[in-house]
Amino acid sequence: SVFAMVRLLALGKMVAGSMVQVAFASIFVLSGVGGALAYALLLNDPMWLAGAYPNVYGLIGAYSFVMWRALAGTGAVQARAFSLIGVLMALQLIWGMFFEAGTLWVAELGGFFCGFGLCFLLAPGEWARMRDGLRRR
């Protein structure tokens, strides 16, 4: 849909600016796969999963990760990094009260968590940060 394309362009610009191209492409593709797996494993829904929303929500997860790390560097409250996903899920809840929402939100949330989790492996400097954390112990 048009909304998915607009979100993809906006979030793609923000996330791609802080990651290398291979990491960005991997997060985009694998978060779609992760969202589809979450949808398939958690639901017994015969409806087919189609569209870019799980992938876009993966980019929202990557954007949240970038913001989370940036807020940690400034000493600000890191929970603010999750305000975008909170607002989007609240809007889906409100939309679902008035219209038929369906179960696609499971794939979208799965894509978000997959995108956020992949950043621990693919974001620049994360391997060094994990290695330094392990050495301190």
Side-chain angles (χ1 to χ4, degrees), residues 1-87:
S1 81
V2 174
F3 293 117
M5 287 188 296
V6 169
R7 288 181 185 172
L8 173 62
L9 290 173
L11 290 164
K13 173 112 174 80
M14 288 186 261
V15 173
S18 61
M19 297 197 184
V20 295
Q21 292 176 355
V22 172
F24 174 80
S26 298
I27 289 170
F28 181 74
V29 171
L30 293 175
S31 61
V33 171
L37 283 173
Y39 184 80
L41 294 174
L42 296 175
L43 301 175
N44 189 17
D45 194 348
M47 186 172 147
W48 282 56
L49 183 63
Y53 276 111
N55 306 74
V56 170
Y57 273 77
L59 292 180
I60 293 171
Y63 172 75
S64 298
F65 181 86
V66 170
M67 292 301 299
W68 183 59
R69 286 294 190 206
L71 290 171
T74 63
V77 178
Q78 288 179 286
R80 285 187 15 214
F82 300 101
S83 59
L84 179 60
I85 190 67
V87 167

